Each structure stands twice: as C-alpha cells, then as structure tokens.
Amino acid sequence: MKLRKVTAASAVVLALAVSVTACGGDKKDDASGGKKIKIGIKFDQPGLGLKQPDGSFSGFDVDVATYVAKQLGYQPNQIEWVETKSADRENALQRGDVKFIAATYSITDERKQKVDFAGPYLLAHQDLLVKKGSNITKGTDLNSKKLCSVTGSTSAQNVQKTIAPKANLRPLSGYSECVAGLQSGAVDALTTDDSILAGFAAQDKYKGQFQLVGLKLSNENYGIGVKKGDSTTVDKINKALEKMVADKSWDKAVKDNFGPARYKNEPAPKIGDIVK
C-alpha cells in the first residue's frame, strides 16, 4: 500500500516536471520568435526598401512584405530581412537564401523563365531623374549624355535600345551611388522606376535639387519573386495581396511611403493583370 502511494506521488511529480518543461519550451520559443522567415528586399531605396541607421527597415516593399508574412503566419519579429541587389535576385531565390523577394522586382517574360511571381502589387513607370533646371526634358535628349542605372536593372538598356541609342550607360552597384553621381555631375540623368526616383528626390538631403522628367517610358509591374515551381507559396501570397487591397492596408502603405513625395500612383493592380 505504501509502495503504491510512493509510486502515485512519483507519477504526479513526473507529470508536473513534464508540464513545467513543456511550458518552459513554449516560453523559450516565444521569446526567441519561434520560426523565422527570410525575405529579400532592397536596403538603399527610400520609400520602398531602406535600412535605417538604427537597423530598422522602412518603405512600401517592406510594408507589403510584412503584411504578406503575417498572412503566412509570421509576426514582424520573426522576419529576417536579407539585402537582395538587382543582379542577384534570381540567384538568391534559386539558392534558397530567401522565401520570397519584394524588391521593386518587375515581372518580365525573361525573369519568369527563372522564378515565379505573385502579384503584381504595384504598377510603376520608368522615368528620368535629373538636376532641377536640366535641359533633359524628353528621352531623346539622353543621346550623348551619361545615363546611370543599377547593374542588373533593365531600365538603362531599355532607353538605349528604344529611345536614345547614343546614350552613354554608366551602371553602378546601387541607386544611392547613381544619385550621388547625379548630384556631383558625374552623370547627367538616372533612370529607373518613378516610385524609386520619387523616394530619393523626397529625401531631406536632396530636397529641391532634383526633378522627375515625368515620362512614362515603360510599365513596371512589381511582383513578389518566389522560387521556381513553388506554386503553393505563390497562391498564398496572392491571397494575402488581395486581402491587403480589400482592407485598405495597401492604400495606407502608399500614402505613408509615397505621400511626402507627391507620387501619383496607379490604382492597385489586380492579381495576374500585367500591363504591357
């Protein structure tokens, strides 16, 4: 009888120990953030994807990616932001460095051969950024001018092929370098999407120095890049984007990030609606 009591007591102690251990494990998971997701963004694009001096991140792409991640089951503290430069986006997905990429990633037929896309989630247009008062007012004015864009981007090549064949292309590693070159006079113009250019022009240190020419040289359908063949993730992201538009979170993100630059954005595109 006494043996039974000891056994029963031991069983209770063992059960309590297991319970405490389990609870401790849950707290540890919560404290550490549990599961993580790696998301590719740009680190040097004001208004879209920018790493702040304090280590935080801001921008429209960041807001979209954060919203999507939440719909996939991840809180903001479970996101690991990974810098993905234009020239390395396809490789980053193929290597599995990130789950998805939201980095001003225009959907093109060529890119769709290597990765899959969800979206689009924003329709931007290629434009030119020049110094205020510049005599560059149309695309053909770029002939014999020094035109900067980022290595791996299609923007400068588009201009040279279709508008200004004599433009002198100056590819650099990032948009910050191009803007610095424009400020110093090392280049005459910077070309990329109007959303990106507006973000740079609105920065405090550049206010009043630059202007958008206002050309719609192309349609840039921003999509979220996913590893080729991962249709399940594409479907989940598309549903998240549709929800973001429906609950007006998309409108808020546009206003928060582009409002100060007076950027005239297009309405939210429909999923799968690619404007040529």
Side-chain angles (χ1 to χ4, degrees):
M1 189 71 179
K2 186 175 181 181
L3 179 61
R4 287 196 204 94
K5 287 183 179 179
V6 172
T7 303
S10 299
V12 171
V13 172
L14 179 61
L16 287 172
V18 171
S19 176
V20 170
T21 302
C23 290
D26 288 343
K27 289 181 180 178
K28 184 177 180 181
D29 286 345
D30 290 341
S32 65
K35 59 185 179 178
K36 298 284 186 179
I37 184 171
K38 293 183 177 181
I39 301 174
I41 58 171
K42 295 289 182 65
F43 278 20
D44 66 342
Q45 290 181 352
L48 287 150
L50 183 67
K51 185 176 182 179
Q52 304 287 357
D54 64 359
S56 63
F57 298 88
S58 66
F60 182 71
D61 284 346
V62 174
D63 289 348
V64 170
T66 300
Y67 187 98
V68 169
K70 187 174 183 180
Q71 299 305 308
L72 297 182
Y74 299 89
Q75 296 302 315
N77 66 345
Q78 295 174 304
I79 298 174
E80 181 179 338
W81 300 109
V82 178
E83 183 176 20
T84 49
K85 294 183 179 294
S86 295
D88 195 46
R89 287 178 295 203
E90 287 82 22
N91 291 331
L93 288 169
Q94 291 170 355
R95 291 191 303 258
D97 295 347
V98 294
K99 185 66 174 179
F100 64 82
I101 293 176
T104 59
Y105 205 179
S106 298
I107 301 172
T108 67
D109 291 337
E110 181 180 0
R111 288 171 178 165
K112 285 194 291 184
Q113 300 302 312
K114 300 177 181 179
V115 303
D116 287 336
F117 284 99
Y121 63 91
L122 182 72
L123 175 60
H125 303 286
Q126 184 181 346
D127 200 356
L128 301 175
L129 187 68
V130 297
K131 278 191 172 182
K132 194 170 183 179
S134 170
N135 59 4
I136 298 175
T137 60
K138 56 185 181 299
T140 54
D141 290 337
L142 290 170
N143 281 310
S144 301
K145 299 290 186 179
K146 296 183 289 291
L147 176 64
C148 189
S149 192
V150 172
T151 304
S153 172
T154 59
S155 299
Q157 290 88 338
N158 289 341
V159 170
Q160 192 178 54
K161 288 179 181 178
T162 62
I163 301 171
K166 294 182 180 180
N168 185 358
L169 303 188
R170 296 291 179 89
L172 294 175
S173 60
Y175 292 107
S176 297
E177 289 83 351
C178 280
V179 175
L182 183 60
Q183 185 183 41
S184 69
V187 298
D188 301 302
L190 162 59
T191 185
T192 188
D193 306 344
D194 51 8
S195 56
I196 299 172
L197 298 175
F200 276 106
Q203 283 187 294
D204 288 338
K205 61 181 177 180
Y206 293 133
K207 277 184 179 178
Q209 297 185 43
F210 306 129
Q211 63 187 35
L212 287 165
V213 176
L215 308 178
K216 291 186 177 181
L217 300 177
S218 69
N219 295 315
E220 305 296 334
N221 301 271
Y222 288 178
I224 293 182
V226 177
K227 188 174 183 178
K228 190 70 177 176
D230 189 359
S231 58
T232 299
T233 298
V234 170
D235 291 341
K236 289 180 179 179
I237 293 176
N238 279 334
K239 289 179 181 178
L241 293 175
E242 289 175 341
K243 184 176 180 180
M244 187 177 187
V245 173
D247 68 14
K248 304 301 181 181
S249 295
W250 188 91
D251 292 316
K252 183 179 185 302
V254 169
K255 184 177 180 180
D256 289 346
N257 293 290
F258 299 132
R262 298 180 180 179
Y263 171 63
K264 297 180 180 180
N265 65 284
E266 299 279 4
K270 293 181 179 179
I271 299 301
D273 186 9
I274 308 298
V275 180
K276 298 295 187 179

